[in-house]
């Protein structure tokens, strides 16, 4: 089937070319050279743009790898060694299995913190986004303020939040909680504002015209319109936060991240690998569940 | 009572962002029970006129008298009163698509309810009965429990009409009600509007792009060009020349010239 297609295509192409040339002959003569010139100029222009983009990307790579003292070939060469190391040391053994209950306890702690953070942040973000949206026409200055605050929280990464909060809260669950809370809150506020503006602007206008009050519009118009999109975002953020909380746990000495860090530094690689496997299994399981839920509600 | 106009525009002007002039010195009045079409090119200010009446847009100058009250400088409570008494129908239907038809129809009562009962969606038996009555009249009984995003365009617009009747309005404002509909659904919608106007004595003010439809259904036509009224009278005296003037075009340039 496929090679038939390939066999035909050059022949078809030649036929097409001959039709083209015949048509061109039929055209009025003085127009032709001008048209050709215009066509070539478009193609050379495109070629030039491609060459330029290629040169810029190549220069960026060379300059930045020189600055970071990174060598691609060295990096690739170390791959097989790393693979061998992983397969020899990072394999759970019988002894490490006795640590499984402790690992699962820590993992579930991390997962529940991530879920709690996301739900709290989503609730706050929703009320905040109602103030930030232009559809409800609350107050343009307040709306701008909300957007600025949300942008600030969003643009500081969760790991940086964790570092900052370490000073005030020290190494405990609260630090990780707030670090994830701020980052999630910022992102969700902005997303919710966009969703509300996009999905419910029309029906808000209509409900406004019937004389409904702002609270009635929120509950009868906005919430029903955006609920499924918002739930879908919350599920997505739960997934992201489970991954992020693993990393933040290393910083704040809590949860599964810390467990991994400890085993790793004690050179108990078998147990560390068990942690990795447990995380992967849980993350995949949660992703599958949330994809199913999203399919149902959309 | 009928000798006092239900709506009066006195020298109304509207300027957007202090630059774009949408309406300049517009004056007209509507008697109770009239069925009036506004025609004019896109961007001529048709929608602005309608939105000035229920204060989705604030007029910059002039005064608008609705039911004896000057509403152009009304406060929040008075605006609420005006919106309660005016229904509005939109080109894109503007329904809450994820809710059922009956819920959307009942939204017409929100302006008449306390905030709390509106928030939780608590409607009286009488209101529910009325909603079903209206749906039956518009031929939507079977669709009552369907979600609005399952409906066709014509059905959605009928839900829009039902919602506005539910308000028990004095005036219905229609912003391009048939612009997104096929000819047969358009006829159904226009027939319903005409019927509502005659049987319930609700005044209708309709923005239209289709001159033929305006000529057929309305007893009075207002033609508007770049924010100014250039024609206000019965369809019989709306000559081709005036239509060309409204649309700022010459003979043979309008789709209506084809037929």
């Amino acid at each position: 089937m496929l090679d038939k297609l390939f066999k035909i295509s050059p022949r078809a192409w030649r036929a097409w070319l001959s039709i083209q040339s015949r048509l061109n002959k039929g055209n009025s003569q003085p127009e032709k050279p001008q048209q050709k010139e215009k066509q070539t100029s478009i193609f050379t222009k495109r070629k030039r743009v491609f060459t330029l983009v290629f040169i810029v990307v190549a220069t960026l790579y060379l300059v930045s790898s020189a600055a970071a003292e990174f060598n691609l070939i060295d990096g690739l060469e170390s791959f097989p060694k790393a693979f061998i190391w992983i397969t020899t040391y990072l394999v759970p053994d019988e002894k490490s299995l006795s640590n499984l209950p402790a690992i699962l306890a820590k993992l579930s702690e991390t997962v529940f913190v991530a879920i709690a953070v996301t739900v709290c942040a989503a609730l706050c973000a929703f009320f905040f986004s109602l103030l930030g949206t232009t559809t409800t026409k609350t107050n343009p200055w307040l709306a701008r303020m909300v957007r600025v605050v949300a942008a600030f929280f969003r643009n500081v990464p969760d790991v940086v939040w964790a570092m900052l909060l370490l000073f005030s809260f020290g190494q405990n669950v609260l630090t990780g909680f707030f670090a994830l809370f701020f980052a999630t809150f910022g992102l969700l506020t902005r997303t919710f504002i966009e969703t509300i503006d996009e999905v419910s602007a029309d029906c808000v206008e209509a409900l406004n015209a019937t004389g409904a009050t702002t609270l009635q519009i929120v509950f009868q118009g906005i919430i029903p319109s955006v609920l499924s999109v918002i739930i879908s975002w919350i599920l997505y953020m739960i997934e992201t936060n489970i991954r992020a909380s693993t990393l933040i746990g290393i910083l704040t000495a809590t949860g599964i991240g810390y467990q991994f860090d400890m085993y790793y530094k004690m050179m108990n690689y078998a147990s560390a690998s068990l942690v990795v496997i447990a995380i992967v299994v849980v993350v995949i399981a949660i992703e599958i569940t949330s994809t199913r839920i999203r399919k149902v509600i959309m | 009572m009928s000798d006092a106009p239900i709506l009066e525009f006195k020298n109304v002007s509207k300027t957007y962002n202090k630059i774009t002039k949408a309406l300049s010195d517009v004056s007209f009045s509507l008697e109770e029970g009239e069925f009036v079409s506004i025609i004019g090119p896109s961007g001529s200010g048709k929608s602005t006129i309608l939105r000035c009446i229920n204060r989705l847009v604030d007029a910059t100058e002039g005064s608008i008298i609705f039911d004896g009250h000057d509403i152009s400088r009304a406060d929040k409570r008075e605006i609420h009163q005006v919106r309660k008494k005016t229904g509005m129908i939109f080109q894109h239907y503007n329904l809450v698509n994820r809710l059922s038809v009956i819920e959307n129809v009942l939204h017409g009562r929100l302006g008449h309810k306390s905030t709390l009962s509106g928030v939780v969606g608590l409607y009286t038996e009488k209101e529910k009965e009325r909603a079903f009555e209206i749906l039956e009249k518009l031929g939507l009984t079977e669709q009552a429990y369907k979600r609005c995003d399952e409906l066709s365009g014509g059905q959605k617009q009928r839900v829009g009409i039902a919602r506005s009747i539910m308000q028990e309005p004095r005036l219905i404002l229609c912003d391009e009600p048939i612009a997104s509909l096929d000819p047969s659904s358009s006829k159904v919608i226009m027939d319903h509007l005409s019927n509502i106007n005659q049987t319930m004595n609700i005044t209708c003010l309709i923005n239209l792009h289709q001159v033929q439809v305006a000529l057929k259904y309305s007893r009075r036509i207002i033609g508007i060009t770049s924010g100014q009224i250039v024609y206000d009278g019965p369809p019989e005296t709306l000559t081709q020349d005036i239509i060309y003037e409204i649309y700022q075009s010459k003979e043979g340039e309008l789709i209506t010239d084809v037929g």
Side-chain angles (χ1 to χ4, degrees):
Chain A
M1 187 68 192
L2 209 70
D3 55 5
K4 233 184 207 172
L5 241 167
F6 278 112
K7 261 178 213 164
I8 289 165
S9 67
R11 213 189 299 158
W13 176 241
R14 247 171 276 141
W16 169 247
L17 281 180
S18 73
I19 290 168
Q20 282 290 303
S21 67
R22 244 176 280 160
L23 276 176
N24 277 342
K25 267 176 206 163
N27 275 352
S28 55
Q29 287 300 317
E31 257 183 40
K32 206 180 149 194
Q34 203 189 351
Q35 215 178 8
K36 204 174 178 184
E37 199 182 310
K38 210 177 172 185
Q39 265 182 1
T40 49
S41 77
I42 286 169
F43 284 123
T44 41
K45 203 175 167 190
R46 192 168 293 166
K47 259 182 215 159
R48 256 178 231 156
V49 170
F50 275 130
T51 325
L52 200 73
V53 169
F54 179 76
I55 291 171
V56 168
V57 170
T59 331
L60 276 177
Y61 165 73
L62 288 175
V63 169
S64 51
S65 57
E69 293 172 3
F70 166 76
N71 190 331
L72 183 65
I73 295 155
D74 282 358
L76 287 176
E77 266 175 3
S78 62
F79 250 103
K81 246 192 272 171
F83 187 73
I84 290 163
W85 189 86
I86 287 172
T87 45
T88 41
Y89 292 101
L90 273 185
V91 176
D93 53 18
E94 266 177 54
K95 215 178 89 193
S96 70
L97 280 179
S98 61
N99 287 325
L100 193 62
I103 291 171
L104 287 182
K106 283 284 177 193
L107 186 58
S108 62
E109 180 194 315
T110 304
V111 169
F112 287 128
V113 166
I115 292 173
V117 163
T118 318
V119 172
C120 285
L123 279 177
C124 295
F126 182 71
F127 286 111
F128 231 64
S129 63
L130 286 176
L131 301 175
T133 164
T134 46
T135 23
T136 51
K137 290 195 184 112
T138 38
N139 185 335
W141 284 105
L142 191 66
R144 196 165 300 170
M145 279 288 290
V146 167
R147 277 159 200 259
V148 168
V149 170
F152 172 71
F153 279 111
R154 191 180 70 249
N155 282 312
V156 179
D158 42 18
V159 177
V160 176
W161 275 119
M163 289 175 183
L164 287 173
L165 292 168
L166 274 177
F167 292 114
S168 34
F169 292 106
Q171 287 192 319
N172 63 53
V173 183
L174 216 58
T175 311
F177 184 92
F178 279 115
L180 282 174
F181 178 87
F182 287 146
T184 313
F185 170 76
L187 186 101
L188 285 183
T189 304
R190 187 227 164 112
T191 323
F192 289 174
I193 288 175
E194 274 172 12
T195 311
I196 290 171
D197 285 350
E198 209 174 288
V199 182
S200 61
D202 278 358
C203 66
V204 168
E205 188 189 24
L207 292 183
N208 235 328
T210 65
T213 61
T214 309
L215 264 183
Q216 290 175 336
I217 293 173
V218 168
F219 280 90
Q220 290 293 326
I222 294 178
I223 291 182
S225 305
V226 300
L227 194 62
S228 63
V229 183
I230 280 181
I231 289 177
S232 166
W233 269 101
I234 292 175
L235 290 172
Y236 169 74
M237 279 318 288
I238 287 176
E239 284 171 39
T240 319
N241 278 344
I242 287 172
R243 279 166 231 170
S245 61
T246 316
L247 269 180
I248 287 174
I250 298 178
L251 277 175
T252 59
T254 47
I256 195 72
Y258 181 61
Q259 197 81 357
F260 174 82
D261 201 36
M262 224 167 56
Y263 288 137
Y264 189 79
K265 284 181 177 150
M266 282 156 52
M267 292 195 279
N268 185 354
Y269 297 131
S271 299
S273 75
L274 200 63
V275 172
V276 173
I277 291 168
I279 291 173
V280 169
V281 168
V282 166
V283 165
I284 289 176
I286 282 172
E287 180 156 350
I288 289 171
T289 337
S290 83
T291 315
R292 285 237 178 105
I293 296 173
R294 256 185 271 172
K295 251 185 205 157
V296 172
I297 58 168
M298 284 310 262
Chain B
M1 290 298 267
S2 61
D3 46 340
I6 184 169
L7 178 77
E8 203 175 356
F9 266 57
K10 282 182 184 165
N11 312 95
V12 174
S13 295
K14 168 69 189 172
T15 320
Y16 286 107
N17 302 326
K18 293 178 183 166
I19 313 160
T20 331
K21 195 134 190 152
L23 296 179
S24 50
D25 208 16
V26 169
S27 301
F28 68 91
S29 62
L30 288 186
E31 302 295 329
E32 182 123 38
E34 270 195 298
F35 193 89
V36 180
S37 301
I38 305 177
I39 57 170
S42 303
S44 58
K46 301 192 296 291
S47 299
T48 309
I49 290 185
L50 295 194
R51 282 171 169 70
C52 281
I53 297 168
N54 61 9
R55 291 291 302 273
L56 290 177
V57 162
D58 296 334
T60 330
E61 276 170 63
S63 52
I64 300 165
I65 320 272
F66 176 74
D67 207 15
H69 301 282
D70 185 351
I71 57 155
S72 47
R73 263 157 276 296
D75 60 23
K76 231 177 158 180
R77 243 188 52 228
E78 284 171 288
I79 291 177
H80 178 75
Q81 291 301 319
V82 173
R83 287 180 179 167
K84 246 169 72 174
K85 285 186 272 182
T86 52
M88 192 165 194
I89 292 163
F90 302 84
Q91 177 184 347
H92 301 294
Y93 330 120
N94 294 19
L95 306 172
V96 183
N97 278 321
R98 293 191 151 262
L99 292 182
S100 64
V101 167
I102 188 73
E103 283 170 294
N104 269 285
V105 175
L106 285 165
H107 279 169
R109 297 307 298 172
L110 288 177
H112 297 258
K113 307 187 79 68
S114 73
T115 296
L116 190 66
S117 55
V119 161
V120 294
L122 209 64
Y123 301 98
T124 63
E125 283 306 311
K126 220 174 157 190
E127 284 169 330
K128 289 178 202 164
E129 274 166 31
R130 176 78 184 133
F132 278 105
E133 244 170 64
I134 293 168
L135 282 179
E136 197 187 340
K137 213 176 264 179
L138 294 169
L140 286 170
T141 311
E142 281 174 33
Q143 274 76 29
Y145 295 108
K146 274 192 188 165
R147 246 168 60 166
C148 282
D149 46 14
E150 296 170 33
L151 303 184
S152 70
Q155 290 172 329
K156 280 184 189 172
Q157 194 59 292
R158 277 185 272 160
V159 178
I161 294 175
R163 177 173 63 190
S164 69
I165 302 176
M166 204 58 208
Q167 286 179 250
E168 291 171 356
R170 302 279 306 277
L171 171 70
I172 291 186
L173 309 167
C174 308
D175 192 14
E176 309 282 2
I178 56 170
S180 311
L181 297 178
D182 66 56
S184 88
S185 327
S186 295
K187 184 169 185 304
V188 172
I189 295 299
M190 288 308 295
D191 287 344
H192 278 307
L193 288 175
S194 174
N195 185 26
I196 289 159
N197 168 253
Q198 275 157 26
T199 58
M200 301 180 180
N201 199 34
I202 298 172
T203 317
C204 288
L205 187 60
I206 306 180
N207 279 350
L208 281 174
H209 269 310
Q210 298 85 342
V211 182
Q212 252 70 14
V213 176
L215 289 171
K216 191 183 162 208
Y217 283 92
S218 40
R219 273 154 281 158
R220 181 176 156 204
I221 292 176
I222 295 175
I224 178 166
T225 299
S226 28
Q228 282 174 312
I229 291 181
V230 289
Y231 179 82
D232 185 354
E236 292 80 31
T237 56
L238 182 73
T239 59
Q240 275 297 323
D241 288 334
I242 299 172
I243 293 176
Y244 291 134
E245 196 197 332
I246 292 170
Y247 288 97
Q248 305 264 297
S249 53
K250 295 185 214 66
E251 207 174 333
E253 285 181 351
L254 294 180
I255 189 102
T256 49
D257 296 340
V258 176

